[in-house]
Amino acid sequence: MTMTTAAVPATDEFTVPSETLDATPGSAFMRPIEAITAVLLIAIIGMLLTGVVSRYFFNQPIVWVDEASSIAFLWLAMFGTAIAVDRSEHLRLTLFLSRMGERRRDFVETFGVVLMAAFLIVLLPHAYEYAVGEMDITSSALNIPVGYRVSAIAVGMVLMLGLLVVRLFRMSRLVDVLASAAIVVAIWAALWFLSPTLKGLGDANILIFLVGGAAICLALGVPIAFCFGVATLLFLSFTTTMPLVVMVSRIDEGMSSLILLSVPVFVLLGCILDATGMGKAIVDFLASLLGHVKAGMSYVLLGSLFLVSGISGSKVSDMATVAPALFPEMKRRGHKPSEMIALLATGAAMADTVPPSIVLIVLGSVAGVSIAALFTSGFAIAMVLLIALAILARFKARHESMEGIKRASLKTIVKIALLALPALVLPFIIRSAVASGAATATEVSTIAVLYAFVIGMVLYGGISPRRIYGMLVETAAMSGAILLILGTAAAMAWALTQTGFAFHLRDALSDLPGGWFTFMLLSIALFMLLGCVLEGLPAIVLLAPIMFPIARAMGINDIHYSMVIVTAMNIGLMAPPIGVGFYIACKVGNVSPDEAMGAIWPYIGALILGLFAIAAVPWFSLAFL
């Protein structure tokens, strides 16, 4: 399984170079859009920083900042989704595509693009209707029609549709395009004919459309955001009388939370971390302290992932920073490449609760849980998993060759520490600012970007203007891909709750023998499975509104439950043969998945033991709150 996106080593946790698609044509056409997104991202960061400075230093809140940022954010997100289409950066499952013959794979990919285009064609008039309807509502601070903001959805859809059409007629056989269009029309006609029967099936439609439809699209290699969108569109169109403009409003709601403003900013922070070498400075410092002991380089790898994650909030950025710096020395000491990949992958899973974690930010937004509390608890949970992995790493390194390894001198350690100090303090600044309530996650993200940029320019060699522009555009594309998943997943979650399924599930789970712990075990199994297939963010958006009320009714603390499900998802993410993160680690470390697959299971086992400890002992999650 791979995820198609740009070949940039450090962006967000969803990125890995495409193996099945080339970059789509149309890049020249998209250059003005890319420039606009870069300006929008700078404007958002500038407005948020201005608001922070005005409030904290001059005690004068600027009331229009949040509203203006929200407008720019939605336009950034929708332009970003179009750029992601242009660059083939939308997250998708290619496990089944990769096993097909070339001719069949070409047809299936063409069919997937036609399906995406059909989804946009059907929904586009309702996006226009939604924008026109919102023109009658005036924003509270800027006193402008809200329709100016939500028009971004329709404009983004038009751009995506145009790019998909260009791709079809430049990269696909005409016969494949016509056959795919005929199949899509036939499916639509059959469902329209069967709609009276389908409306009488009740909850069975959940399995047919929201589960089966999404699963089929996923297997065909359709991007996850469009899998959710197509499944929800079919469900609402043929089993309900709900107007589709409601689906557009739910997509808007899923993408527009002010808390999510921090997502593109933390993605940009990961880019700056990689470009300036701040992450490598942390790795070098830990190596000077621990490199001379048995399993020392394994400890350095785990510790680096722990600390670097606290800066970037990105799995790929973490792994791409740590692996090149440590793997050559680990290999020289006798570590097998498969073992190194196993430790890298599970270490990245361990570190995903260390703030700033985009997963925790989204979870806080969707489930209504304090992000400050999640950040505080995330440190402790990562420590539990870190200890479990470190114990296993020490056992694995019992035959490690230490020939010629010397302890670094105190002078060397001090020199490296001084260089790494500005990078080392950043994760603690982020955590303490959010946990203390001094600033929100969004405000902290902008401060962290400014800090990392200035420190990187002054102490770590700087960044060229061309590289800065590239990072801004890549951040917009990656953020757009993430936010479209959140939007369509929010629409699917809403459709699911409207069926009453959540209440049926709650009643069924409440009657389970064993009470809260049985529910916790089922949650672990469910989120590990979804972590394998969907990745963390869509799983959270889909299930958090359903599962959290049940957990609360059983007396489970929100923070405790959050840590359990996030850890379970991260383990699923790294579990072969489907787990996406496992393949990212193999790509970063340039090791065959077949070679690494056998080595990772003991490390997965260590994480599962740590997860059971976290689930059984709420103290781990709540001790520092």
Side-chain angles (χ1 to χ4, degrees), residues 26-377:
S27 294
F29 165 73
M30 289 298 292
R31 282 172 192 157
I33 302 298
E34 292 176 353
I36 292 171
T37 59
V39 171
L40 285 171
L41 183 54
I42 293 172
I44 289 171
I45 294 172
M47 286 188 288
L48 293 174
L49 281 172
T50 301
V52 172
V53 171
S54 179
R55 184 165 67 253
Y56 286 103
F57 291 94
F58 301 104
N59 199 27
Q60 292 290 330
I62 303 177
V63 295
W64 54 264
V65 163
D66 284 349
E67 200 169 281
S69 299
S70 176
I71 295 171
F73 177 59
L74 188 57
W75 281 93
L76 171 75
M78 293 310 301
F79 283 154
T81 61
I83 295 171
V85 168
D86 182 55
R87 298 182 174 198
S88 298
E89 292 189 8
H90 280 282
L91 175 65
R92 66 182 195 142
L93 175 69
T94 59
L95 176 67
F96 300 104
L97 283 175
S98 63
R99 299 183 179 183
M100 296 179 183
E102 182 179 355
R103 182 70 188 93
R104 180 176 295 180
R105 182 171 65 248
D106 289 344
F107 176 77
V108 171
E109 293 212 27
T110 298
F111 178 76
V113 174
V114 170
L115 196 60
M116 293 163 63
F119 166 76
L120 294 171
I121 289 170
V122 173
L123 207 57
L124 186 53
H126 303 284
Y128 174 77
E129 177 188 353
Y130 179 60
V132 171
E134 293 292 295
M135 286 291 182
D136 296 330
I137 304 172
T138 302
S139 63
S140 57
L142 295 175
N143 293 315
I144 61 174
V146 175
Y148 291 149
R149 183 185 71 85
V150 301
S151 295
I153 298 175
V155 172
M157 287 183 175
V158 169
L159 286 172
M160 286 189 282
L161 181 59
L163 291 166
L164 291 173
V165 171
V166 169
R167 181 189 298 182
L168 283 173
F169 287 98
R170 288 190 181 179
M171 300 181 67
S172 301
R173 295 177 176 88
L174 181 60
V175 64
D176 288 350
V177 175
L178 295 176
S180 297
I183 293 172
V184 169
V185 171
I187 292 172
W188 189 272
L191 291 174
W192 178 82
F193 179 76
L194 293 172
S195 59
T197 303
L198 292 171
K199 289 176 182 178
L201 295 180
D203 286 351
N205 286 316
I206 296 174
L207 290 175
I208 296 172
F209 291 100
L210 298 184
V211 177
I216 291 171
C217 290
L218 196 65
L220 293 174
V222 176
I224 288 179
F226 288 90
C227 292
F228 292 155
V230 168
T232 307
L233 178 67
L234 295 176
F235 177 80
L236 293 177
S237 297
F238 298 112
T239 70
T240 75
T241 57
M242 194 70 65
L244 292 180
V245 69
V246 177
M247 180 176 174
V248 179
S249 73
R250 295 299 166 177
I251 292 174
D252 175 28
E253 184 178 325
M255 298 176 68
S256 300
S257 171
L258 279 176
I259 294 175
L260 298 178
L261 268 170
S262 59
V263 170
V265 187
F266 276 130
V267 172
L268 179 60
L269 183 60
C271 293
I272 295 174
L273 168 72
D274 175 67
T276 58
M278 293 178 72
K280 187 177 182 302
I282 293 176
V283 174
D284 291 342
F285 170 65
L286 292 178
S288 70
L289 289 178
L290 300 171
H292 63 282
V293 302
K294 182 80 77 173
M297 298 309 291
S298 297
Y299 299 153
V300 171
L301 187 148
L302 293 173
S304 298
L305 287 169
F306 185 95
L307 291 175
V308 170
S309 179
I311 301 175
S312 72
S314 160
K315 286 190 186 72
V316 169
S317 179
D318 301 346
M319 291 190 287
T321 298
V322 170
L326 295 179
F327 275 15
E329 176 62 18
M330 294 179 74
K331 191 173 183 179
R332 192 187 71 79
R333 297 190 185 191
H335 290 266
K336 296 179 181 178
S338 58
E339 293 286 337
M340 296 189 299
I341 290 298
L343 191 61
L344 179 70
T346 50
M350 167 272 297
D352 203 38
T353 62
V354 179
S357 166
I358 292 174
V359 172
L360 294 185
I361 292 169
V362 172
L363 178 58
S365 171
V366 172
V369 182
S370 165
I371 292 178
L374 290 174
F375 276 14
T376 301
S377 181

Side-chain angles (χ1 to χ4, degrees), residues 473-527:
V473 175
E474 182 61 31
T475 296
M478 204 62 251
S479 301
I482 294 171
L483 292 165
L484 187 62
I485 290 174
L486 298 183
T488 54
M492 178 181 274
W494 175 83
L496 189 62
T497 56
Q498 296 308 300
T499 65
F501 172 76
F503 300 106
H504 302 156
L505 181 64
R506 181 195 62 191
D507 294 340
L509 293 178
S510 298
D511 294 334
L512 288 173
W516 72 271
F517 195 70
T518 301
F519 170 74
M520 196 73 89
L521 293 176
L522 284 175
S523 297
I524 288 171
L526 179 60
F527 279 94

Side-chain angles (χ1 to χ4, degrees), residues 328-584:
E329 176 62 18
M330 294 179 74
K331 191 173 183 179
R332 192 187 71 79
R333 297 190 185 191
H335 290 266
K336 296 179 181 178
S338 58
E339 293 286 337
M340 296 189 299
I341 290 298
L343 191 61
L344 179 70
T346 50
M350 167 272 297
D352 203 38
T353 62
V354 179
S357 166
I358 292 174
V359 172
L360 294 185
I361 292 169
V362 172
L363 178 58
S365 171
V366 172
V369 182
S370 165
I371 292 178
L374 290 174
F375 276 14
T376 301
S377 181
F379 261 107
I381 293 306
M383 284 299 302
V384 174
L385 301 176
L386 176 65
I387 292 170
L389 289 174
I391 292 172
L392 178 60
R394 177 62 182 85
F395 175 78
K396 290 277 189 178
R398 62 192 184 278
H399 301 304
E400 181 180 39
S401 171
M402 302 298 293
E403 183 179 352
I405 306 300
K406 296 181 180 179
R407 182 194 298 265
S409 67
L410 180 60
K411 181 180 179 181
T412 301
I413 293 174
V414 171
K415 181 180 178 180
I416 296 175
L418 290 175
L419 184 63
L421 184 61
L424 284 167
V425 300
L426 184 53
F428 299 99
I429 292 174
I430 293 170
R431 190 205 71 82
S432 59
V434 175
S436 66
T440 65
T442 302
E443 292 170 340
V444 168
S445 67
T446 58
I447 296 169
V449 161
L450 181 63
Y451 174 91
F453 184 77
V454 172
I455 293 297
M457 295 293 284
V458 174
L459 295 181
Y460 296 98
I463 315 172
S464 68
R466 184 175 180 180
R467 181 74 181 273
I468 293 172
Y469 177 77
M471 291 191 307
L472 292 171
V473 175
E474 182 61 31
T475 296
M478 204 62 251
S479 301
I482 294 171
L483 292 165
L484 187 62
I485 290 174
L486 298 183
T488 54
M492 178 181 274
W494 175 83
L496 189 62
T497 56
Q498 296 308 300
T499 65
F501 172 76
F503 300 106
H504 302 156
L505 181 64
R506 181 195 62 191
D507 294 340
L509 293 178
S510 298
D511 294 334
L512 288 173
W516 72 271
F517 195 70
T518 301
F519 170 74
M520 196 73 89
L521 293 176
L522 284 175
S523 297
I524 288 171
L526 179 60
F527 279 94
M528 282 182 67
L529 177 62
L530 289 178
C532 285
V533 178
L534 294 181
E535 219 281 333
L537 297 181
I540 285 174
V541 178
L542 282 174
L543 287 182
I546 297 173
M547 302 298 283
F548 268 82
I550 301 173
R552 289 169 189 146
M554 292 188 169
I556 301 173
N557 183 278
D558 281 352
I559 303 300
H560 179 209
Y561 190 65
S562 298
M563 292 301 111
V564 170
I565 63 172
V566 168
T567 302
M569 283 189 306
N570 290 335
I571 295 173
L573 181 69
M574 297 300 174
I578 299 178
V580 176
F582 168 73
Y583 294 92
I584 296 177

